[in-house]
Amino acid sequence: MTVGTDSPAQARSSTPRAPEPPETGPEPQGTSPAPPGAAAEPPGPGPVSTDVFAGIDPDDLPDGLVIADETGRVVCFNAAAGRITAVPGDRALGLPLEEALPLEDLKGRRWWALTDPYGGLSTRRGQPERNLLLPGGREVLVSARYVREHPTGPVRRVVVSLRGTEARRRTERSHAELIATVAHELRSPLTSVKGFTATLLDKWERFNDEQKRLMLETVDADAGRIKRLIAELLDISRIDSGRLEVRRQPVDIAAAIGRHIQVHTTGGQSPDRFFVRIRPQLPALWADPDKIDQILGNLLENAVRHGDGTVTIEVAPTTLGDDGEEGTEVTVRDEGPGIPEASMSRVFTRFWRGSKRGGTGLGLYIVKGVVEAHGGTITVGRAPRGGAEFRFILPVGTPAHLL
C-alpha cells in the first residue's frame, strides 16, 4: 500500500507511519534509553497502522474485518465488513464498537453488553464463532479476538471477523435434501420387505412354492436396492471427506464393459442396442476394479434409462496433460433427447436428475468423485446424434516398480 494516498479503501485500513528518528550522536548525559519491552504511549483513536497487516490491504480479505482500539472505537472496517453489514466503512470509523456493529444474540440480547470485551476476566482471549443478528434480523457469523500486550494485561485491540451465513445454509440445505432423499428411497423397499416377510411368516401354509419364490425374489431385490443406497451414502461420505480409497489392480476395461452389457441384455434389453468399439494399442490400465464397475454401471444405466436408440461405448488410448502421460479414454453416448445446455454445469452435482424416471440423483456425483480419486477427469456434452455423451479419462496408473 502507498502511504498518504487518497484512496478510501486505504484510508480505512492504514495511517502514515511515524517518521524515522534522525541519526544523532550519543545520547545526552542524564538520559537513558527505554528498557527493552517497555510499552510505548498508547496512540489516540485512529486508523490501524499498516505494520499490523504486514503490507496486506484489509480490503483484500474475503471475510469482514473490524478492529477497535483500546478505547473501544473502530479503527478498521474493511470492504467485506461494509458489504456484510450494509454500513459504509467511512461512517463506521471512529464509532464505538457497539454502534458500528449493533449485534444481538438469537434471544434479542445485545452482544457487546453480554460479552464486555474490555472488562471481565483478564484471562479471556476472545469469543468463538457464533450466529448473531444485525439490525433487521439478518444473520451473520461473528468471532472475536482480544489482543493484550501480556496475558493478563488490558485489552489493546478487539479484532472481529464477520462472515455471511449463505455458505453454511447451503451446506445445511444440502444435508437436509440428502436425508429427505434417503428417507424417501428407503421407505418403498423397506415397506415391501416388511410386508412380504410378515405375510410369509403369518400365512406360510396358504402359499404354494411358486408364490413363495416370487415373494422371496421381491424381498431379495428390494434388499439389494437398500444395499446399493447405503453403498452410495458411504461413497458420498468418503468423497466429501477425501477418504475414498483406490486399490489399483490390472483392469480389463473391455471385459468389464462386456459384463455390464450382459446384465442389461439379461434384463430385457436387446443386444442390438449396444455398440462397442475398442481401439487398438490400449495401454495397460491399473485401477480399482470395483470402482471401474461402479463408473460403467452408472453411465450405462443412465444411457439405457434416460436415452434412446443405440448406446455406443468407445474405448481409446489417449494422453493426459503437457507431459504426455498415457491414459485410457472411455466414451458412453446415446441417441436420446440429450441434456439441455443450461443443465450441463449441474449434471455432476447432488440430486440432479435428467428426467422423472426414478433414481436418487446421486449416481453421477459419485461417478465424478470416483474418476477424480483415480486422478482422471470426466466431462459431459452432446453426442453427434443429439443424445448425451459422457467421456472419462483415467491415467494408466502403472505402479512405480513396473516402470
Side-chain angles (χ1 to χ4, degrees):
M1 290 180 287
T2 304
V3 175
T5 181
D6 292 331
S7 167
Q10 293 176 350
R12 288 199 297 271
S13 58
S14 63
T15 187
R17 300 186 182 185
E20 296 291 334
E23 296 183 3
T24 60
E27 295 184 2
Q29 296 293 326
T31 65
S32 60
E41 288 296 321
V48 176
S49 169
T50 53
D51 293 336
V52 175
F53 302 110
I56 299 175
D57 189 339
D59 287 343
D60 293 336
L61 299 175
D63 295 335
L65 175 67
V66 180
I67 301 178
D69 64 9
E70 67 271 18
T71 68
R73 293 187 176 273
V74 174
V75 294
C76 177
F77 203 92
N78 74 345
R83 184 175 63 255
I84 293 171
T85 62
V87 175
D90 52 0
R91 185 190 303 173
L93 286 175
L95 290 177
L97 187 57
E98 62 270 19
E99 292 184 22
L101 286 177
L103 297 167
E104 296 181 350
D105 66 11
L106 300 182
K107 296 181 180 180
R109 298 173 297 185
R110 296 175 59 190
W111 194 58
W112 297 114
L114 286 175
T115 57
D116 188 18
Y118 293 93
L121 295 175
S122 60
T123 55
R124 294 186 306 167
R125 302 181 64 182
Q127 293 289 334
E129 186 175 75
R130 63 189 64 193
N131 275 32
L132 296 175
L133 300 177
L134 290 167
R138 189 153 52 95
E139 288 190 18
V140 63
L141 298 172
V142 181
S143 59
R145 171 84 174 186
Y146 306 156
V147 180
R148 308 173 188 269
E149 290 184 349
H150 52 85
T152 59
V155 174
R156 293 309 233 174
R157 287 193 304 275
V158 175
V159 181
V160 182
S161 174
L162 306 174
R163 293 196 298 127
T165 59
E166 293 80 7
R168 177 174 291 185
R169 289 195 177 278
R170 284 195 299 270
T171 301
E172 292 173 351
R173 187 162 54 248
S174 177
H175 289 165
E177 290 174 353
L178 180 60
I179 292 171
T181 299
V182 171
H184 175 75
E185 293 294 328
L186 283 174
R187 182 182 302 165
S188 176
L190 282 175
T191 300
S192 173
V193 169
K194 177 63 177 175
F196 278 118
T197 53
T199 300
L200 286 170
L201 289 171
D202 187 47
K203 303 175 182 179
W204 179 265
E205 296 82 4
R206 298 187 184 183
F207 299 104
N208 59 39
D209 290 346
E210 187 63 28
Q211 291 171 325
K212 292 175 183 176
R213 174 179 290 276
L214 178 61
M215 285 192 240
L216 289 174
E217 286 175 349
T218 304
V219 169
D220 182 68
D222 287 332
R225 287 177 58 191
I226 296 172
K227 182 180 178 181
R228 286 193 298 273
L229 181 58
I230 293 173
E232 286 183 347
L233 294 176
L234 291 174
D235 285 335
I236 288 175
S237 173
R238 295 182 184 115
I239 290 168
D240 289 346
S241 62
R243 295 185 293 106
L244 187 66
E245 295 182 1
V246 175
R247 296 180 173 88
R248 296 184 185 272
Q249 302 174 31
V251 174
D252 186 340
I253 191 73
I257 292 171
R259 288 195 303 271
H260 284 279
I261 291 176
Q262 185 177 6
V263 169
H264 286 284
T265 55
T266 303
Q269 294 292 327
S270 170
D272 295 335
R273 190 175 181 190
F274 301 93
F275 177 76
V276 180
R277 179 187 291 118
I278 308 295
R279 301 289 185 181
Q281 298 180 344
L282 288 177
L285 175 63
W286 285 73
D288 190 318
D290 293 336
K291 299 293 189 293
I292 296 301
D293 280 339
Q294 196 172 18
I295 296 169
L296 294 173
N298 271 288
L299 295 183
L300 286 175
E301 183 177 353
N302 276 325
V304 170
R305 178 183 295 177
H306 304 294
D308 295 319
T310 301
V311 176
T312 301
I313 306 101
E314 184 172 352
V315 184
T318 188
T319 55
L320 292 80
D322 297 332
D323 56 357
E325 181 184 4
E326 287 186 314
T328 299
E329 177 183 275
V330 181
T331 304
V332 179
R333 65 175 69 96
D334 61 72
E335 298 175 351
I339 299 170
E341 193 69 30
S343 300
M344 290 289 188
S345 61
R346 298 186 288 111
V347 167
F348 297 109
T349 59
R350 292 184 185 182
F351 311 118
W352 183 85
R353 294 180 178 88
S355 69
K356 298 181 180 179
R357 301 183 190 177
T360 61
L362 300 174
L364 291 176
Y365 176 81
I366 294 172
V367 165
K368 183 175 185 291
V370 171
V371 170
E372 291 179 347
H374 281 81
T377 60
I378 184 168
T379 57
V380 61
R382 184 167 292 278
R385 297 189 180 183
E389 178 180 277
F390 289 89
R391 176 179 287 114
F392 66 92
I393 300 175
L394 298 177
V396 296
T398 306
H401 69 276
L402 295 180
L403 295 176

